[in-house]
Structures are given as C-alpha cells and as structure tokens.
Amino acid sequence: MADTVFIKDLKDHVGKTATIQGWMFNKRGGKGIHFLQLRDGSGVVQGVVFDKSEETEVFKTADKLTMESSVKVTGEVTQHPKHDDVFELQVSEIEIVHLVDGEYPIAKKEHGTDFLLENRHLWLRSKRQRAIQIVRNTIINGIYEYLNKEGFIKIDSPILTPNACEGTTTLFDVEYFDEGKAYLSQSGQLYLEAAIFSVGRCFDFGPVFRAEKSKTRRHLTEFWMMDAEAAFVEHEENMKIQEGLIVHVIKKALEENKKELADLERDVSALEKIEAPFIYKTHAEVVKELQEMGSDIKENDDLGGDDETILTNKYDKPIFVEKYPAEVKAFYMKRDPENENLALCADMLAPEGYGEVIGGSEREADYDVLLGRIKEHGLDEKEFSWYLDLRKYGSVPHSGFGIGLERLTGWICGTKHIRETIPFPRLINRIRP
Ligand code: 4AD
Ligand code: MG
C-alpha cells in the first residue's frame, strides 16, 4: 500500500509511490496522455497518465474523469525536469470517489461577480479564493500570537446584547422572549471594558453586525472584528500597540504565504514597506490636505470613503488619523484635554487606497462625564448602568481598538472589494448562499 499524503508533502516522497486524495480541477492531454490537474486544499499537483495503447484501466478512468470529480490518485512522485520545487505524479491508479455528472457550473470562462456570488459555495474552490482564505487564516493566527505575547487574554463577548455600542442607526434587532428587543452586537468593546478590571488586557474576535445601508467595497452587514482593550493604556500607547500588531501580521503573511500572495498577484513590495513608525496626522491636518487635493470635506466632517481613498493613495505606510471632531464619533470616547471638541481617538488607514482598517480611542473614565454623554446621545441610561458601574468601582484610564478582519485581509491580499475576503459575504442585497 502506498502512503496517503498531502500534496504539499509530496516533496518528501520523490522516487516513492504515494496516494493523494482530492479533486480534479482541469484536464489536458493528447494521444496516449492525460495531464490531470489535482488539488487537495494543501496544494496542487499534475498527475501524468501515460499509455500509448489507451487500453489500460487507469487510462480509461482518466478519460472519463470530469471537472471537480473527487479522486484518490496513486503514482510515483517525480521532480519536474525544469522546476526544482514542482513535483508530479506518474499515475498508476485512479479511484473515483465521486464522478461529476454534467458540466461544473463555474467553468474556465470568465463570469460576472453576481454569478460568482450566487455560486459562492463553489467559487470558494478557485485558486484565488483559496489563497484569500489561507491568508485570512494567517492574519487571524498572527493577531492571536501578537496579542498573547503582549499579555492580552481572549475574552469572548456576547453577540446578543441589550444596548448599542456604535450608535443606534445600524442595529439589527431580534425579539428576545419576554425581555423585549435585543440587538446583534456591533462590537464587543463595552464588554471588554468590563473584563479589563479582571484580566488587565484582553481581546475578542468574532462576528459583528451593522445594518448599514452602505453599498461600498468596504462594507459588509456581518463581518469579523477583533476588539482589544487595555487598562492603564492611554491614547499614544494605544496606537503603538496597533502599529506593532499590524507590522507583526504583515511580516507573518509575507513569510508564510508567499505562494498565496503570488497566486493573488499581490505586489508584495508594497507590503514589505510596512514598518514602524507609521504616519501620524491629526484630523485637522488631514482635512486641510484633502481640501488641497480637491475634496469638499469640511472641518467638522468625518472622512468619506473617497477621502480615505485619495489620502491613502498618497502614502506607502498606514496613517493614524487622530483627534476627530467628537461629534462624529461614538459616545464612549474620551475628549482631548487640550480641546474639548475633539475625541482622543485614532483611525488607522491602510495605504494604496484601502482606507480605515482600525478604529480606536481612549475611553471616558469619569462617571459623571460619561453619564452626560450617554444622555446627549439619546441612549437608554438604564441599559448602560452596568457600563457606568465600571466608572464607579476602581475606574482607570484605558484604551482599545477594533480591527475589521475583512478590511485587513483585503488590504494584505490586494482585493478590490472586501466581499471576497469573507467565506460567505452578507451584503444589504445578499444573504445567500
Ligand atoms: O470603527 P468601528 O466602528 O469601531 C468600533 O466598533 C469600536 N467599538 C472598536 C473598538 O474600539 N473596540 O469598527 C472597527 C473596524 C473599522 O475600522 C473597520 O475596519 C471595521 O471595523 N468595520 C467594518 N468592516 C466591514 N464592514 C463594515 N460595515 C464595517 N464597519 C466597521
Ligand atoms: Mg470607524
């Protein structure tokens, strides 16, 4: 019996007979020869079926193999005559696990995005979509690695919540038994703020929801967020933690995902430039700069999507845009002691036109001030009494931030639209498959 191995490990079996299990995604050939393109998730390999007579069982099986059929293929592992790192299987046996009857819906020809999204369950198998998911996985692991090293403990925040975190206009509500309305979480931040009093530094990582009527390349209605929160960390240090995290994750992706980034045709030289320190600018400076570039942004405006694009196209490092007008930001942000109208916050915008990837701030730590903000924002004071308690019992300066996983993945992979970076995207006009 030949060893069953992953395609990525075939290099260790040269000269021996091995079996791989996977799918045939393409087939070429000619008289007496079939070249089977095989993949198993770990890699791809070409299986060569050679039989001048075209009479053998294995040749006849290869003959009838249809695209995306699943197979177990056995053969001698050989090194490609021209490429050191390419291996082939000289096929001696094919066991069909499932023969696809008829044509595979996503054939070789070009398809429109709508068609591909409708067939997302199949589209995921493509080389490009696989590469994105592999990079996404590396990013997730990189985030865990860095935060664990920096003393952050994973704390899972709830998804069903009674209160809003990021404003009341983008909430998804659900009927919650006799308790009235509950909402799908927009961010676990408020719960992490409670947990820092227990563990000091913590983070969560999970799906969050925004009923945002935005139909842009940067918006999903369900996406994955990593919120981090730390006691005794103020605004400046908060940004330094983010900087370190981003540098770590990009370095890891460059090291571990060379093949995938090549499959994505990502210009890795742009990622190689990402080193600390990043660029730091205040919102006021950025507004001026944008106006000079032709934007109609006003002093007290939030940055629009186009503003983020034109600004970040100018730079080859991420930019922290600090101290936004408090009125365009969330209720929990601490104000700048030097100017009450500004929030002690920063958004990290990724270069190459990608725009906001992280939102963070120092949090208001004073009970009375925070209560005032809750009222100003028209939030239900009762639902925030637990959050206010945190300012009653051992309040400390603290800060945190939230990374949108799909935006970070989109930037690192170089995708145009973030819908490709999540396995099953939810958009305002799409919930299937
Ligand atoms: O800037 P946001 O809204 O910040 C928060 O939710 C804070 N509570 C986070 C915190 O301080 N713990 O969201 C954080 C990030 C954004 O920078 C962006 O990357 C991503 O989440 N994001 C979205 N990603 C995809 N689709 C959407 N609709 C998004 N909205 C925000
Ligand atoms: Mg934001």
Side-chain angles (χ1 to χ4, degrees):
M1 271 287 282
D3 284 348
T4 298
V5 301
F6 291 119
I7 291 174
K8 71 173 169 59
D9 298 329
L10 284 175
K11 61 178 187 311
D12 304 326
H13 296 262
V14 176
K16 293 188 209 132
T17 300
T19 301
I20 62 109
Q21 323 183 83
W23 298 266
M24 189 196 77
F25 64 93
N26 209 356
K27 183 165 73 172
R28 295 184 292 112
K31 179 93 187 80
I33 196 153
H34 283 299
F35 297 106
L36 312 178
Q37 309 304 318
L38 304 162
R39 67 159 204 278
D40 71 349
S42 81
V44 297
V45 68
Q46 173 161 276
V48 184
V49 191
F50 181 60
D51 170 23
K52 256 202 208 130
S53 75
E54 302 194 345
E55 298 275 308
T56 51
E57 196 57 37
V58 62
F59 196 86
K60 286 186 199 154
T61 308
D63 228 10
K64 70 176 179 200
L65 269 187
T66 42
M67 243 173 95
E68 288 301 317
S69 290
S70 43
V71 283
K72 296 186 184 187
V73 178
T74 303
E76 191 196 333
V77 184
T78 55
Q79 184 150 17
H80 192 283
K82 290 193 194 121
H83 304 285
D84 277 359
D85 55 347
V86 178
F87 303 90
E88 290 185 327
L89 266 187
Q90 307 303 322
V91 179
S92 51
E93 201 183 324
I94 301 172
E95 180 191 331
I96 296 179
V97 179
H98 178 244
L99 187 66
V100 173
D101 183 13
E103 206 176 320
Y104 183 60
I106 306 188
K108 281 271 123 180
K109 65 176 187 326
E110 289 280 319
H111 293 288
T113 310
D114 269 339
F115 177 85
L116 291 170
L117 284 170
E118 273 153 33
N119 289 284
R120 182 63 174 167
H121 53 297
L122 303 177
W123 187 24
L124 268 184
R125 304 178 183 192
S126 74
K127 177 165 91 174
R128 194 181 147 76
Q129 298 307 313
R130 171 193 175 275
I132 294 171
Q133 292 310 313
I134 300 284
V135 175
R136 178 180 165 114
N137 178 65
T138 303
I139 295 170
I140 294 170
N141 289 335
I143 291 174
Y144 273 85
E145 259 170 29
Y146 181 83
L147 289 175
N148 283 156
K149 181 169 71 67
E150 293 295 316
F152 287 76
I153 299 298
K154 175 124 188 292
I155 290 278
D156 300 314
S157 51
I159 288 175
L160 288 166
T161 66
N163 44 16
C165 179
E166 294 298 318
T168 50
T169 57
T170 64
L171 286 170
F172 276 109
D173 53 31
V174 286
E175 290 304 328
Y176 199 79
F177 306 103
D178 296 335
E179 297 288 318
K181 275 207 190 323
Y183 306 98
L184 299 183
S185 177
Q186 299 165 309
S187 156
Q189 177 197 322
L190 307 187
Y191 293 96
L192 292 189
E193 284 187 62
I196 59 166
F197 293 83
S198 164
V199 298
R201 292 176 159 211
C202 55
F203 70 104
D204 66 13
F205 210 145
V208 293
F209 306 85
R210 306 271 171 108
E212 215 158 357
K213 290 258 158 57
S214 308
K215 231 176 134 179
T216 81
R217 65 189 170 94
R218 298 189 178 100
H219 288 89
L220 297 165
T221 55
E222 176 180 312
F223 62 97
W224 281 64
M225 171 123 73
M226 187 288 302
D227 295 281
E229 199 70 29
F232 299 103
V233 165
E234 297 180 17
H235 173 62
E236 300 290 334
E237 188 182 352
N238 193 32
M239 292 186 290
K240 287 294 164 200
I241 295 170
Q242 296 166 46
E243 198 174 84
L245 175 51
I246 294 297
V247 168
H248 176 79
V249 165
I250 289 186
K251 195 162 157 259
K252 187 176 168 78
L254 284 170
E255 276 168 16
E256 296 180 8
N257 296 145
K258 279 195 186 69
K259 164 96 181 46
E260 285 73 24
L261 293 168
D263 284 346
L264 292 164
E265 294 172 14
R266 178 66 168 111
D267 168 17
V268 289
S269 71
L271 296 175
E272 283 159 358
K273 290 182 196 145
I274 309 304
E275 301 172 338
F278 294 172
I279 300 162
Y280 293 74
K281 287 173 184 284
T282 63
H283 175 271
E285 286 166 344
V286 163
V287 165
K288 239 190 236 139
E289 195 171 334
L290 283 167
Q291 285 169 343
E292 281 160 18
M293 285 191 278
S295 166
D296 56 8
I297 188 171
K298 307 271 174 332
E299 201 182 346
N300 287 328
D301 288 351
D302 201 353
L303 267 59
D306 291 341
D307 292 324
E308 290 185 13
T309 305
I310 60 169
L311 180 74
T312 62
N313 264 327
K314 240 177 97 172
Y315 297 97
D316 53 14
K317 278 193 192 186
I319 310 167
F320 282 106
V321 181
E322 296 178 60
K323 302 189 179 178
Y324 282 66
E327 63 187 85
V328 303
K329 289 293 184 189
F331 75 96
Y332 51 71
M333 293 187 180
K334 186 178 166 72
R335 300 289 171 98
D336 180 5
E338 283 161 27
N339 183 345
E340 263 298 294
N341 299 319
L342 303 179
L344 215 44
C345 69
D347 282 358
M348 196 207 80
L349 313 188
E352 300 177 81
Y354 281 94
E356 182 188 342
V357 166
I358 308 184
S361 76
E362 186 166 342
R363 322 304 191 187
E364 181 51 65
D366 181 83
Y367 183 93
D368 294 316
V369 176
L370 186 60
L371 177 61
R373 303 261 189 269
I374 288 171
K375 288 181 178 159
E376 274 168 35
H377 278 80
L379 298 168
D380 184 355
E381 197 183 313
K382 231 175 37 272
E383 292 299 356
F384 286 90
S385 66
W386 68 269
Y387 185 64
L388 283 159
D389 268 356
L390 307 175
R391 279 72 182 167
K392 258 178 35 194
Y393 305 109
S395 189
V396 287
H398 64 287
S399 303
F401 59 93
I403 300 185
L405 176 61
E406 289 72 22
R407 296 222 189 144
L408 180 56
T409 306
W411 166 36
I412 294 179
C413 289
T415 64
K416 223 159 120 193
H417 198 300
I418 64 167
R419 67 190 161 205
E420 274 188 87
T421 64
I422 188 163
F424 293 95
R426 269 73 182 102
L427 305 160
I428 54 177
N429 58 352
R430 183 172 299 283
I431 187 93
R432 298 185 174 81

